[in-house]
């Protein structure tokens, strides 16, 4: 039988004070979804009223219960343990009427030993979960007095005291964005029963200490063993690295190790000839060796483990070697990396984690968006081992925050601190096994709050500061990650948001985008977007077409508490007609704002060494930020970011009466291309054009062409535009951009005819070719139910600059709708 298996069966949940009043429950899951399915609770996502009513759930004690049988052949008299990750939050586990353990932290994985005689062939597991406020009631008076929190448990008060999904608490806003927060409560990850091994390999992580000029690597492999109550003095431990498909190991070593009962870590040195290194996306192959670790006693293998192992060196460069100025640059295998990435928000507001299909969709979107780095943002929750392993396979760099978020914490309470320490150790031992990990950070926006949000004026002391300045560094001395550590994001010091050194969270006024920040670890522009109408219907039960006519904005506010934004500063849009038009305008506004601000980082900021968007995905259906909606439908910003995150990017902008064209190359090697430029009128007819061969060096943005007095020659700012693109020798478009001379709402060229052809490429992929005739398409839109993915979308199109789009689907046939902004006509295109 398997050494570990999921505890499954007909789960039920009931109020603890009425345990007979059960409803069916899903595990993984939360109490709220069980109550909604049983008709006992209105959908908490539906409105402010239903979200407020759902507070009762997290204020109540609940009992989960399941009966399960051991699989055939399993011996209940052996040593067993129950593994419980993601329990939200304060729970008591009872197996066959015997308490086996308690939890107090949703971010930890608990392992409960089962005493001899407790496990039977048929078993009942009961999990009593306390309401959040009851569990921390004794801590609340001191927290109110010292931390200054006056709200309820759903607010910053609970965020400080309870170690669970941080950003789900209500602090002026929440990811739910319904004027309140709803706290999940339940079993958010599978529980499992595991047979205890006499000796077990519990962890493997590697460090590359040197790579010589011939590519040979010196590697230290750290192997963690749990020997339980093992009494022999020594064991033989061997480590082998194998290339996939090869029978002879690329490297192998073995040593006799002295062991004692309990857990310990042992280090082995390996020389790997002609080592195949792990590289991030865009810089090479994310190569993984197949590691085999074997533990032997008197010639018999008593424990073994297989691990995918990537070999890479990581450096965080803080001083520019050329200018001597501060920088913040990741260097992988001696190669500087321009980071293009995003911040991950938990996929489910209440239960945090999603199913396998959702994660597959998420990774497909991450790659479709040309991301190379994911920041595991400190307002979220730790992800699973499978998640980090997928990042290894795909070459995605991981920035890992500890889960402290924009708040103060009770570091005066030593029991709370010990709980936090155990959480950090859990996190480190998970993430350090992965080649994708390149930085470990103490938390999110603590220094910024202290230095720039007025905390100093209301607090006697910076509560929580020692967690990332003292506690985590002390843990790292004993449990190292092998990667650089920073205390907080953004950086510490009196100017936490300074663009001059360290990382910054660059938001707000557009002027902030012009400050040449050395690294942007959070950024998003404009004011709000919400999920697509399809997602709002699926999650909230809200039909956007119910919000039309006179008074629709007031009815929307009655449901959601959200005001309608009256002014769109980037586009000047304001389309009347109701909620559907408003949501569309919000998307265009955010996409335009994101494109121009983040384009400034990529193309006009010579000191910048990376941009991480905030956030990849919306943490709730009405959350204001995110390039992907709550139903994992890509929004317009997803595609404009994907254009800016390409390996090579071109941009065009006005500089006084001139027009400047610049480019950025993040490949690590020079790229030869052909630059094409067209200045066109309302009909797309060429007024002036240029073409030249260019070579784009890697590194900082560079000027390609300056068109003197071009802007001075423009006669009609409402209709003229400049379009640029870079193509390679085969004619493939590497990047393109457009410059208009009026706000988007005022830009009114003639609508074109768009011709299209479709070619099937196989494996659910099609080539869609588009060309414009007799006008300029301000914004070509390819729409469906948003389950298709496009290599580009929401782009301009002019005669002579055709577009070639790859469309991907999980089905053998599909339909999409082609339209252009400002034109009410649409056309259906079949993909077959």
């Amino acid at each position: 039988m398997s050494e570990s298996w999921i505890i499954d069966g007909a789960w039920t949940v009931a109020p603890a004070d009425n345990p007979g009043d059960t409803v069916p429950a899903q595990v993984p899951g939360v109490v709220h979804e069980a109550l909604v399915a049983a008709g006992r609770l209105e959908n908490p996502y539906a409105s402010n009223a239903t979200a407020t009513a759902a507070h009762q759930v997290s204020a109540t004690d609940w009992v989960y219960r399941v009966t399960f049988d051991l699989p055939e052949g399993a011996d209940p008299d052996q040593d067993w343990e129950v593994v419980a990750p993601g329990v939200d939050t304060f729970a008591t586990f009872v197996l066959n009427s015997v308490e086996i353990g308690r939890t107090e932290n949703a971010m930890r994985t608990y392992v409960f030993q089962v005493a001899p005689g407790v496990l039977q062939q048929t078993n009942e597991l009961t999990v009593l979960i306390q309401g959040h406020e009851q569990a921390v009631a004794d801590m609340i008076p001191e927290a109110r007095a010292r931390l200054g929190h006056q709200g309820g448990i759903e607010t910053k008060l609970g965020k400080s005291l309870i170690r669970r999904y941080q950003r789900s608490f209500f602090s002026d806003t929440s990811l739910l964005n319904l004027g309140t927060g709803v706290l999940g409560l339940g079993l958010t990850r599978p529980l499992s029963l595991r047979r205890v091994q006499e000796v077990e390999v519990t962890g493997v992580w590697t460090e590359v200490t040197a790579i010589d000029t011939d590519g040979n690597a010196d590697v230290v492999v750290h192997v963690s063993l749990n020997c339980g109550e093992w009494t022999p003095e020594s064991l033989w431990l061997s480590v082998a690295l194998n290339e996939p498909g090869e029978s002879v190991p690329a490297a192998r070593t073995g040593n006799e190790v002295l062991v004692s009962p309990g857990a310990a870590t042992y280090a082995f040195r390996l020389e790997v000839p002609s080592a195949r290194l792990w590289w991030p996306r865009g810089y090479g192959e994310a190569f993984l060796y197949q590691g085999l670790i074997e533990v032997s006693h008197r010639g018999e293998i008593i424990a073994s483990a297989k691990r995918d192992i990537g070999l890479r060196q990581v450096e965080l460069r803080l001083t520019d070697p050329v200018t001597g100025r501060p920088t913040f640059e990741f260097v992988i295998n001696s190669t500087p990396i321009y980071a293009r990435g995003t911040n991950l928000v938990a996929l489910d507001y209440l239960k945090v984690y999603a199913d396998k299909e959702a994660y597959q969709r998420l990774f497909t979107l991450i790659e479709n968006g040309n991301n190379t780095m994911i920041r595991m943002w400190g307002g979220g929750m730790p992800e699973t081992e499978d998640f980090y392993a997928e990042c290894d396979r795909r070459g995605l760099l991981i920035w890992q925050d500890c889960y402290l978020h924009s708040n103060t914490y009770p570091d005066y309470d030593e029991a709370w601190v010990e709980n936090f320490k155990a959480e950090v150790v859990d996190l480190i031992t998970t993430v350090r096994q992965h080649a994708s990990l390149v930085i470990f950070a103490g938390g999110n926006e603590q220094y910024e709050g202290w230095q720039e949000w007025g905390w100093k004026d209301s607090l006697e002391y910076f509560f929580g500061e020692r967690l990332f300045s003292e506690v985590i560094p002390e843990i790292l001395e004993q449990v190292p990650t092998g990667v650089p550590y920073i205390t907080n994001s953004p950086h510490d010091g009196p100017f936490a948001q300074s663009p001059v050194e360290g990382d910054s969270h660059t938001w707000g006024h557009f002027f902030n985008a012009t400050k040449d920040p050395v690294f942007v670890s959070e950024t998003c522009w404009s004011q709000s977007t919400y999920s697509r109408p399809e997602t709002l219907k699926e999650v909230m039960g809200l039909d956007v077409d119910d919000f039309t006519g006179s008074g629709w904005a007031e009815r929307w506010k009655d449901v959601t508490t959200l005001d309608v934004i009256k002014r769109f500063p980037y586009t000047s849009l304001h389309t009347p007609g109701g909620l559907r038009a408003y949501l569309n305008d919000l998307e265009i506004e955010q996409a335009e704002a994101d494109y121009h601000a983040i384009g400034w980082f990529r193309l006009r900021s010579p000191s910048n060494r990376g941009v991480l968007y905030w956030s990849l995905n919306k943490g709730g259906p009405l959350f204001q930020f995110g390039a992907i909606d709550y139903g994992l439908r890509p929004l317009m910003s997803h595609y404009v970011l994907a254009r800016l995150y390409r390996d090579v990017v071109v941009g065009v902008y006005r500089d006084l009466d001139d027009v400047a064209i610049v480019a950025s190359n993040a490949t690590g090697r020079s790229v030869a291309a052909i630059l094409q430029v067209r200045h066109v009128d309302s009909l797309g007819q060429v007024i002036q054009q240029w073409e030249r061969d260019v070579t784009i060096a890697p590194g900082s943005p560079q000027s390609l062409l300056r068109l003197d007095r071009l802007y001075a020659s423009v006669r009609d700012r409402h209709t003229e535009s400049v379009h640029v693109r870079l193509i390679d020798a085969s004619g493939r478009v590497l990047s393109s951009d457009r410059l208009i001379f009026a706000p988007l709402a005022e830009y009114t060229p003639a609508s074109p005819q768009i011709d299209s052809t479709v070619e099937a490429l196989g494996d659910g992929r099609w080539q869609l070719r588009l060309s414009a005739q007799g006008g300029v398409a301000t914004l070509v839109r390819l729409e469906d139910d948003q389950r298709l993915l496009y290599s580009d979308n929401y782009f301009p199109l002019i005669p002579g600059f055709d577009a070639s789009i790859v469309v991907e689907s999980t089905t053998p046939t599909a339909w999409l709708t082609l339209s252009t902004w400002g034109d009410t006509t649409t056309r259906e295109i079949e993909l077959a």
Side-chain angles (χ1 to χ4, degrees), residues 527 553-554 563-569 572-574 582 586:
Q527 298 161 91
E554 288 74 20
D563 287 310
V564 169
I565 297 167
K566 297 295 194 298
R567 187 173 187 278
F568 290 9
S572 298
L573 289 173
H574 188 78
Y582 174 68
L586 287 178

Side-chain angles (χ1 to χ4, degrees), residues 82 115 179 209 250 257 420 504 584 588 597 670:
V82 171
T209 57
V257 295
F420 176 74
S504 60
N584 181 70
I588 297 175
S670 292

